[in-house]
Amino acid sequence: MSKVRLAIVRQKYRPDGGAERFISRALEALEDGSLELNIITRSWQGEPKPDWHLHICNPKKWGRISRERGFAQAARACWQREEFDIVQSHERIAGCDIFRAGDGVHRVWLEQRARIVSPLQRMLTGLSAYHRYVMAAEEEMFRSPSLKKIICNSVMVKNDIIRCFQVPEEKFAVIYNAIDCQRFEPATPAERQQSRAQLNLPAETKVFIYIGSGFERKGLHASITALAATDAHLIVVGQDKQQSRYVSLARSLGCETRVHFVGVQHNVIPYYHAADGLMLPTLYDPFPNVILEAMACGLPVITSFTCGGAEFIVEGEQGFVCDALDVAALTAAAQAIPLRTVDARMGDAARQRVLPCSPQRLADQLHALYQHVLQQP
């Protein structure tokens, strides 16, 4: 029996990115000999497996629109030339068989961002040729007759696509990201103590972790403001060009000694082990992997209605969900989450909720999806 030739399209492969972690986990889980794995990309960081076939499409670019359009044209030409059996794109490129909507809907992100920017910024966004290009590319792709299936990593994104583009229900497959629950585990008392000692955190003070690059979108302003009204500490993992603005915010609120900026971390587990909960009131996020990681480590989660991860949280059981900008609700949630050493029930419930999200389950769901697509005319 000949192998199914699967092409996965991602413009820039970064091992630390959420979409890339989905791809790598899926590819590793799918290596059962039935698939020939092809990656169409502009650039690849990290070490691909020897039997992954890389197709580098790196046309010249002179700006953001040129970058997007050039890669789309080169990637489409590559998959048409190679005649793959299935093309699964993680970029907004019309003509693919499967699109994974890992970045959500651009129009919905702009709707949410409009809540926090100035009227001038809203006007400039509306006039932006780049944003108009992305929304047009998105619409062309969702309306393309070639598109057989859309993978969403949350029901929220599925509903956003249906609302914005009237795509029929049968085109969707909701497949949650996978998490390695053997690697991401709750801290032992010794691990918790060691992590806190290394970070110079008090042994019995409540600590939250925030993880994400792109502080504006991920809700760091609301997180710092909410925690300023408590005595909790906040570990900020990630980077942002505007970091100094958030340092100044913490200073102005009198909590700068309790907000710890630690930058990007390649091994984030010790930071989870130092925490009692995850704080991520993101303005718009389809389903960040950090929510699965934190829950697997036994951390309750505070997040927003505009985060797909909210689907895994029953209020007061695995954490709390509120509006991304509701500082009073965020403060109340932070106060309601207990120290893990005092009461671990909420954190244990969080871990139980993500245990089914195994790489094998992801592989099985993708296998079934690919078989369905191959049987379509």
Side-chain angles (χ1 to χ4, degrees):
M1 186 173 133
S2 61
K3 289 187 178 184
V4 173
R5 299 181 70 224
L6 168 68
I8 289 181
V9 183
R10 181 65 172 174
Q11 183 165 187
K12 197 171 180 182
Y13 186 98
R14 289 187 356 260
D16 61 327
E20 289 77 8
R21 280 185 282 175
F22 174 91
I23 294 171
S24 62
R25 284 171 185 157
L27 294 183
E28 286 161 15
L30 286 164
E31 284 184 333
D32 63 351
S34 65
L35 288 171
E36 177 195 289
L37 301 169
N38 296 267
I39 312 290
I40 301 174
T41 186
R42 185 188 284 277
S43 66
W44 180 288
Q45 295 175 17
E47 287 297 316
K49 297 281 181 73
D51 52 349
W52 294 1
H53 303 272
L54 286 186
H55 305 264
I56 302 297
C57 296
N58 189 22
K60 285 192 171 68
K61 52 186 187 291
W62 295 273
R64 290 200 294 176
I65 296 175
S66 165
R67 178 191 67 203
E68 300 300 319
R69 182 182 284 131
F71 178 73
Q73 291 170 344
R76 193 184 298 114
C78 174
W79 81 56
Q80 289 173 344
R81 180 176 65 250
E82 293 284 342
E83 297 182 336
F84 298 113
D85 297 308
I86 302 174
V87 175
Q88 175 180 314
S89 182
H90 293 239
E91 309 289 347
R92 301 170 176 98
I93 305 175
C96 57
D97 301 297
I98 300 170
F99 174 65
R100 181 177 182 269
D103 297 324
V105 177
H106 196 68
R107 187 196 306 178
V108 178
W109 154 233
L110 295 181
E111 288 169 2
Q112 290 301 318
R113 185 172 178 265
R115 300 175 64 200
I116 62 164
V117 300
S118 68
L120 175 61
Q121 285 175 298
R122 283 199 294 273
M123 185 185 76
L124 292 174
T125 297
L127 296 172
S128 162
Y130 171 74
H131 290 306
R132 288 205 305 273
Y133 169 82
V134 173
M135 288 190 286
E138 202 167 55
E139 180 146 11
E140 181 189 9
M141 183 200 60
F142 282 126
R143 301 202 188 286
S144 168
S146 303
L147 186 63
K148 298 180 177 74
K149 279 287 181 182
I150 302 162
I151 300 173
C152 297
N153 56 1
S154 64
V155 176
M156 180 191 81
V157 170
K158 172 187 162 182
N159 291 338
D160 286 343
I161 294 169
I162 291 173
R163 172 169 68 87
C164 293
F165 303 104
Q166 298 77 52
V167 177
E169 180 92 25
E170 62 269 15
K171 282 207 172 181
F172 292 92
V174 175
I175 300 178
Y176 292 110
N177 292 359
I179 180 69
D180 183 348
C181 287
Q182 293 178 310
R183 181 172 168 235
F184 291 93
E185 288 188 299
T188 64
E191 286 169 336
R192 176 187 171 90
Q193 188 177 13
Q194 182 183 12
S195 290
R196 290 205 170 197
Q198 287 174 342
L199 293 165
N200 293 317
L201 292 167
E204 288 307 319
T205 296
K206 199 182 297 183
V207 173
F208 288 91
I209 187 169
Y210 163 102
I211 304 182
S213 295
F215 293 165
E216 179 188 70
R217 179 167 72 90
K218 301 273 187 178
L220 183 56
H221 189 286
S223 299
I224 293 172
T225 309
L227 289 182
T230 74
D231 60 0
H233 286 243
L234 181 67
I235 306 167
V236 179
V237 180
Q239 64 184 4
D240 192 287
K241 286 183 281 192
Q242 303 295 327
Q243 179 172 312
S244 60
R245 185 182 298 174
Y246 297 90
V247 173
S248 298
L249 172 67
R251 188 178 303 121
S252 71
L253 294 171
C255 62
E256 71 269 28
T257 59
R258 294 188 284 114
V259 179
H260 312 271
F261 292 87
V262 299
V264 174
Q265 297 294 326
H266 295 297
N267 178 19
V268 80
I269 292 174
Y271 297 87
Y272 286 128
H273 284 176
D276 297 292
L278 173 73
M279 173 79 80
L280 198 73
T282 179
L283 268 173
Y284 184 65
D285 217 326
F287 200 134
N289 279 310
V290 296
I291 286 187
L292 294 175
E293 293 174 359
M295 292 176 79
C297 288
L299 300 186
V301 170
I302 301 170
T303 193
S304 55
F305 296 120
T306 45
C307 176
E311 292 164 27
F312 278 25
I313 297 163
V314 175
E315 188 79 358
E317 291 186 18
Q318 296 89 3
F320 298 91
V321 183
C322 63
D323 185 87
L325 304 181
D326 190 341
V327 170
L330 290 169
T331 300
Q335 290 168 332
I337 284 179
L339 280 166
R340 182 161 176 84
T341 50
V342 173
D343 184 351
R345 286 175 297 179
M346 202 180 287
D348 291 345
R351 179 169 170 81
Q352 286 300 314
R353 180 62 185 85
V354 301
L355 287 177
C357 297
S358 67
Q360 191 54 55
R361 183 186 186 190
L362 171 63
D364 293 343
Q365 289 175 303
L366 286 173
H367 260 305
L369 178 70
Y370 295 152
Q371 291 305 313
H372 179 81
V373 168
L374 287 169
Q375 288 161 11
Q376 288 185 245

